[in-house]
Amino acid sequence: TCAMSLCPSAKGLLATGSLDKSVKLWDVAKDEPALLTTKKLKTGSVFTAEFCSEAKPLLAIGGAKGELTVWDVRSEDEVCNRFPDLIQKQN
């Protein structure tokens, strides 16, 4: 893992990024972390990932290709199922 970030608008939602070009979202609110989803992005190897400090759960990812990708994690059903308060924070 090269990058990690906790979502300020969803306690226990962790994003990790790695050299295998994937970003993973985890539920770490309980004793046993649970993998929610994995996404391969077009950024290349992931060097940085950071959740927006504002209300929207947006994740900015940067990688080896020199591009920035912004991912609204509410687009993932498993995230919305585990963190239903995120749906209410859509705008």
Side-chain angles (χ1 to χ4, degrees):
T1 300
C2 292
M4 56 189 339
S5 179
L6 281 167
C7 183
S9 57
K11 185 179 178 184
L13 178 58
L14 174 72
T16 61
S18 64
L19 296 177
D20 71 356
K21 305 174 187 171
S22 69
V23 176
K24 296 180 180 183
L25 298 177
W26 303 82
D27 180 353
V28 296
K30 297 188 170 92
D31 291 337
E32 191 69 31
L35 177 62
L36 302 178
T37 190
T38 301
K39 195 170 206 174
K40 293 270 188 177
L41 300 172
K42 297 178 182 180
T43 57
S45 297
V46 177
F47 296 144
T48 187
E50 187 70 33
F51 276 105
C52 178
S53 61
E54 302 297 319
K56 293 182 180 181
L58 300 176
L59 182 65
I61 302 109
K65 291 188 177 179
E67 296 179 9
L68 178 71
T69 299
V70 178
W71 179 15
D72 186 341
V73 300
R74 294 172 297 191
S75 65
E76 303 299 321
D77 290 339
E78 191 60 35
V79 172
C80 292
N81 291 339
R82 290 276 184 131
F83 300 95
D85 289 345
L86 288 180
I87 298 169
Q88 298 171 355
K89 295 179 181 177
Q90 279 193 308
N91 286 6

